[in-house]
Amino acid sequence: MNRHSVQQEYAGEALSEITDVLFEEKGHAGLIILNRPKALNALTHEIVVAMHRQLERWLIEDKIHHVIIKSNSEKAFCAGGDIRQVAENGPEKIDESLPFFADEYRLNTYMESYPKPLIALIDGIVMGGGVGISVHGAYRVGSEKIMFAMPETAIGFFPDVGGSHFLPKMPNHTGMYCAMTGERLRQADCYWSGILTHAVRSEDMAALEEALCDAQDAEPVLARYAIDPGPAPLHAKAEVVEACFGADSTLQVVDRLRKLLGTEHNDFAAAALETISKRSPLSMEVAFQQVRRGEGLSMKECMVMEHRIVSQILLGKDFYEGVRAVIIDKDHAPKWQHSSLEEIKTVDVEAHFMPPKGGDLVF
């Protein structure tokens, strides 16, 4: 389906829609229902455009007080963007691939400043693009089934969809830790680090949704269903994370981790070092700079920067090799363009932060 042909029309309380994302109106709420369960709700260009247009419609609908974003999948809220087609396009068809990212980043930016409360009900996996359509909203509600990660450096990519905006806000440099290692966080970690605003029980999700639809004000409803998720493992190691990942360079991060080998923090350091050693060195450098530079920038400024990065990433080799190794062939043996962080030149990294030939992202 061509992105310009995505249309919805009102039909009573329901809306017609593309089948991969459904839109409904119920009580005081607009419902966005991700509906690609077999693909773990991986975002397509059509889904992104349809969501943006529907949010614009609901903005001027007085009866819609807040918007709920949920999933029809039992396993996932949204596992990311559907990047396989992007990878199969190759660098030769970058002009066909970039519009998806441009529209996705516009959606992320629109959601971050949306005047009505956006409420993401996360009851499973949320990664990459799924984080982008949830973390920037007013309320992020997660159950014990949540599994959050930004694992993009494993495929030669970078933590986009606003990663440069929200990762620096996570405490004790845990955002940098997640960007570099793709660490998976569960409910307590997500709540402690600010990824979630509320923790709830999975068994209460349906009742919470009904109550939100009936309510004009979401806040007291969310407070009524909120629970204490308990101690966060990430909080317990926050000091060592900060000591290592608050460094001034990737090489310094690695050096600090190596110095922890053989100490009480040996297991943490060894696991982090093993993960870093398998990632694309160039992606690691770009992600490090992205998170550092994103601190203090507005959402729009961050998304302009990320559009610059993706415009360069799609011209390189590591992304296509990473998708081949992890998603297509699944041999998990990528041959990166650089063999180590030490090989990376400053000019190679800085190229990702320069305006692309087609110009910067326009909102």
Side-chain angles (χ1 to χ4, degrees), residues 31-52:
L31 295 173
I32 296 176
I33 307 166
L34 303 171
N35 192 43
R36 293 187 74 201
K38 292 182 179 179
L40 300 181
N41 291 329
L43 298 178
T44 64
H45 198 168
E46 289 78 12
I47 291 174
V48 166
V49 173
M51 284 182 62
H52 198 149

Side-chain angles (χ1 to χ4, degrees), residues 69-349:
I69 310 167
K70 55 173 285 188
S71 162
N72 264 351
S73 167
E74 294 182 357
K75 295 181 179 179
F77 173 79
C78 173
D82 194 346
I83 59 172
R84 182 166 184 152
Q85 182 60 54
V86 176
E88 290 176 349
N89 283 344
E92 299 80 15
K93 295 183 179 180
I94 187 173
D95 289 343
E96 295 182 18
S97 300
L98 270 178
F100 164 66
F101 293 100
D103 282 334
E104 184 180 26
Y105 297 172
R106 290 186 185 104
L107 173 63
N108 301 148
T109 305
Y110 187 63
M111 296 179 79
E112 192 268 344
S113 61
Y114 196 65
K116 295 183 179 182
L118 299 179
I119 308 166
L121 301 183
I122 308 170
D123 198 26
I125 298 167
V126 57
M127 297 184 181
V131 177
I133 59 169
S134 57
V135 76
H136 304 299
Y139 302 110
R140 291 88 63 190
V141 184
S143 77
E144 69 275 10
K145 295 181 181 179
I146 190 173
M147 181 189 292
F148 161 95
M150 295 296 283
E152 291 83 0
T153 56
I155 57 167
F157 205 60
F158 70 106
D160 64 337
V161 296
S164 51
H165 189 64
F166 76 84
L167 290 170
K169 293 179 171 60
M170 293 173 64
N172 301 93
H173 294 281
T174 51
M176 182 67 82
Y177 172 56
C178 288
M180 292 185 69
T181 66
E183 179 74 349
R184 296 184 174 189
L185 306 184
R186 304 310 295 250
Q187 186 184 42
D189 285 338
C190 289
Y191 182 70
W192 173 78
S193 64
I195 297 299
L196 293 180
T197 57
H198 297 78
V200 301
R201 297 180 182 87
S202 179
E203 63 188 35
D204 291 337
M205 276 290 192
L208 170 60
E209 179 187 330
E210 288 295 319
L212 286 170
C213 291
D214 292 337
Q216 296 190 41
D217 184 1
E219 186 64 46
V221 174
L222 292 169
R224 188 163 73 245
Y225 282 88
I227 64 169
D228 179 356
L234 188 60
H235 184 204
K237 58 185 179 184
E239 288 187 8
V240 67
V241 168
E242 183 170 31
C244 294
F245 290 86
D248 293 328
S249 69
T250 57
L251 292 177
Q252 196 174 81
V253 170
V254 170
D255 182 62
R256 292 182 180 185
L257 287 169
R258 285 173 177 163
K259 289 179 178 178
L260 293 179
L261 296 176
T263 72
E264 60 180 310
H265 301 298
N266 179 82
D267 292 347
F268 165 78
L273 285 169
E274 181 180 7
T275 298
I276 290 172
S277 70
K278 296 178 180 178
R279 300 299 200 237
S280 158
L282 184 57
S283 288
M284 296 292 283
E285 288 288 354
V286 170
F288 183 89
Q289 288 298 326
Q290 166 203 356
V291 175
R292 289 290 293 268
R293 298 182 191 201
E295 187 172 5
L297 295 182
S298 69
M299 181 66 175
K300 279 191 175 182
E301 290 170 332
C302 284
M303 300 318 295
V304 168
M305 177 175 65
E306 292 187 12
H307 182 257
R308 292 180 177 186
I309 296 172
V310 75
S311 297
Q312 184 67 23
I313 287 274
L314 295 182
L315 289 173
K317 298 179 180 179
D318 280 3
F319 168 66
Y320 304 101
E321 172 62 10
V323 173
R324 180 207 64 76
V326 176
I327 298 176
I328 298 176
D329 295 341
K330 299 182 180 180
D331 58 26
H332 296 276
K335 294 178 174 58
W336 303 124
Q337 188 176 352
H338 304 84
S339 61
S340 68
L341 291 169
E342 287 83 359
E343 286 186 17
I344 306 296
K345 298 179 181 178
T346 301
V347 66
D348 295 328
V349 178

